[in-house]
Amino acid sequence: MNIPRSRAALTALASAAVLALTAALPPTAADGPRPRASVAVDWYDTTAETVAAAGAPTQVTNNRTWAIGWLAAARATRTVPARIAPEDRRAYREAALAAAVHRSLTALAPDRAERLDAALRETLDRVPDGPAEDLGVAAGEHQADLVLRARRGDGLDPASVNAPFAVPAPAPGVWRPTPPAYAPATQYGSRLARPFLLDRADRYRLPAPPALDSARYREDLAEVREYGAADSGRRTERQTETANFWYGSSLTLYTEPLRVALSRSKGTEAEQAELVALFHVALVDTQIATSDSKYAHRRWRPVTAIRTGDIDPDPRWTPLHDTPAHPDYPSGHTTYSGAAEGVLTALTGPTTAPFDLTSPTAPGVTRTYTSWRRLSDENVDARVYSGIHTRTADEAGIVLGKRVAEHTLRNAGELFRPL
């Protein structure tokens, strides 16, 4: 396989892209220093609460909700009307950010309107009354309406994301439904959806996975067989904990790391909104690209390969965790983590002060992190220890996610142009 494995090279490309974006930003010195907590953090928490309470059953749909609201906020706050005095720019941006996210969430989660209206009133009560507030609210609502209109019918609703997939006839290496549920394939329709910035879903399609008669394939399968079995005697307690910790939704698990980055940002509301928007735009496009590679290659899952393949078949082999209903290559968890790492590294640097992270699939466990890369490294290992992905699929996922993140950063100027 011709997949580059140099994290340094990929990070350098992303960093170069964000330098170009930063150079295009308007001066912000007149806005004054930013507090540790901000309107951006308040509305980040409101978005997270809204998605958790009223979100869709498909992860990419929920990333889309984040992307729409925060893209509108970034566009609304990026420039301030010339008639707004320098000392009132913060008021304008705070009002614009709150109004943009509020308008978007109210449209996408109407059942939460009462709670969202209360949050908007709370924000605007803290913003000085006057033209800056009024114009900011108008700008935020206008940009939200434009983004909502532009994304209408983009194919990222749950029914479209899980469009039916015709399962091929059984053949060596080809995906088929997996035990115990043998459920129909999911996420096939994501590859047919309209990205935010990618010109097409297959822009960064991965090369084919290792051939079934290759040494790499044999190594991959042997590792999963040993370390990913439900009754594995090789997997340590720490490795089992890693598998459990990262088994859940990537959106859920990355909500706190992104919040950490946002809350530690010293930028204006415009720069904070851009961080959140870039993250979620990259993640929507990454999941579209992931679906494209998965269903282009249709590689079978380890449980199928181990139970029915030609290499020491074991019909009773069972993975630690149930296998999701879509092909092995690449791992969606690691494409997500690769894109997240790419955006966070480029915009905030590779390391951060220590922060704690918990997981709903590992109750009572708290892990502490100081770098975004470690999240990716653990995701790679976790899917092997879960018995649901090969290491090749995991490592390829990191590469794909970073490529889409770089594309997002490189084209951010187009993304944030107010309409």
Side-chain angles (χ1 to χ4, degrees):
M1 290 195 349
N2 186 26
I3 296 179
R5 301 181 184 274
S6 170
R7 295 178 185 271
L10 292 167
T11 300
L13 284 173
S15 299
V18 82
L19 286 176
L21 168 63
T22 304
L25 289 171
T28 59
D31 294 334
R34 310 308 302 161
R36 183 176 181 85
S38 68
V39 166
V41 174
D42 290 342
W43 279 92
Y44 185 93
D45 292 343
T46 298
T47 307
E49 175 189 314
T50 301
V51 170
T58 43
Q59 178 174 269
V60 69
T61 310
N62 292 322
N63 280 111
R64 173 188 184 269
T65 295
W66 278 91
I68 286 174
W70 287 83
L71 175 54
R75 287 178 175 175
T77 56
R78 191 166 175 78
T79 58
V80 179
R83 61 183 180 277
I84 300 296
E87 62 270 19
D88 293 329
R89 290 180 181 176
R90 178 187 292 185
Y92 175 92
R93 285 184 165 131
E94 288 178 338
L97 186 152
V101 180
H102 169 270
R103 183 81 146 213
S104 302
L105 292 179
T106 301
L108 297 169
D111 290 348
R112 301 290 294 173
E114 185 176 350
R115 172 68 187 91
L116 293 166
D117 290 348
L120 181 61
R121 286 194 298 272
E122 184 179 337
T123 296
L124 296 181
D125 283 346
R126 301 198 308 264
V127 175
D129 293 336
E133 180 187 47
D134 296 341
L135 291 171
V137 169
E141 292 180 345
H142 177 63
Q143 290 300 325
D145 290 343
L146 291 174
V147 178
L148 286 163
R149 188 179 309 136
R151 297 305 303 179
R152 190 176 298 150
D154 59 10
L156 289 167
D157 58 282
S160 298
V161 167
N162 287 327
F165 171 69
V167 179
V174 179
W175 183 84
R176 68 189 75 167
T178 52
Y182 296 94
T186 60
Q187 302 177 21
Y188 170 72
S190 293
R191 71 196 302 243
L192 310 175
R194 175 158 47 91
F196 277 84
L197 279 174
L198 291 178
D199 57 339
R200 61 179 198 270
D202 65 352
R203 165 60 63 187
Y204 298 105
R205 180 179 291 176
L206 292 166
L212 300 186
D213 60 356
S214 67
R216 180 61 189 264
Y217 175 77
R218 287 179 172 274
E219 291 168 4
D220 278 343
L221 209 59
E223 182 183 27
V224 179
R225 187 193 295 265
E226 281 196 66
Y227 287 90
D231 59 355
S232 172
R234 293 290 301 274
R235 190 179 58 244
T236 67
E237 288 186 12
R238 176 70 176 182
Q239 289 168 339
T240 300
E241 181 187 286
T242 297
N244 291 333
F245 194 91
W246 291 102
Y247 186 57
S249 158
S250 293
L251 173 61
T252 299
L253 288 163
Y254 271 91
T255 297
E256 181 59 21
L258 178 57
R259 188 188 189 280
V260 167
L262 178 67
S263 65
R264 294 174 180 179
S265 166
K266 293 179 170 58
T268 65
E269 279 74 21
E271 292 158 335
Q272 291 175 319
E274 287 170 3
L275 168 62
V276 181
L278 282 167
F279 184 97
H280 284 285
V281 164
L283 266 302
V284 170
D285 284 5
T286 293
Q287 288 169 91
I288 291 172
T290 299
S291 177
D292 172 75
S293 281
K294 276 183 177 289
Y295 285 98
H297 299 299
R298 299 179 299 176
R299 173 52 62 94
W300 61 7
R301 287 282 189 157
V303 64
T304 308
I306 293 170
R307 287 187 177 191
T308 69
D310 292 335
I311 304 173
D312 301 324
D314 180 356
R316 294 177 296 179
W317 187 89
T318 300
L320 173 64
H321 292 134
D322 289 348
T323 302
H326 42 78
D328 176 57
Y329 177 87
S331 160
H333 265 58
T334 62
T335 61
Y336 199 107
S337 59
E341 181 190 343
V343 172
L344 291 172
T345 297
L347 295 179
T348 71
T351 61
T352 186
F355 68 92
D356 291 340
L357 189 61
T358 58
S359 167
T361 52
V365 176
T366 299
R367 291 192 166 188
T368 302
Y369 298 90
T370 58
S371 73
W372 313 122
R373 173 177 173 173
R374 189 177 154 211
L375 305 177
S376 295
D377 290 344
E378 288 190 6
N379 263 285
V380 168
D381 289 339
R383 307 311 270 176
V384 174
Y385 302 149
S386 286
I388 57 182
H389 274 301
T390 60
R391 186 167 296 275
T392 289
D394 294 339
E395 292 177 348
I398 295 291
V399 172
L400 177 58
K402 287 191 173 184
R403 285 176 178 166
V404 177
E406 291 157 16
H407 183 99
T408 303
L409 294 165
R410 194 164 53 245
N411 292 280
E414 173 188 341
L415 184 70
F416 293 134
R417 190 177 299 114
L419 301 177

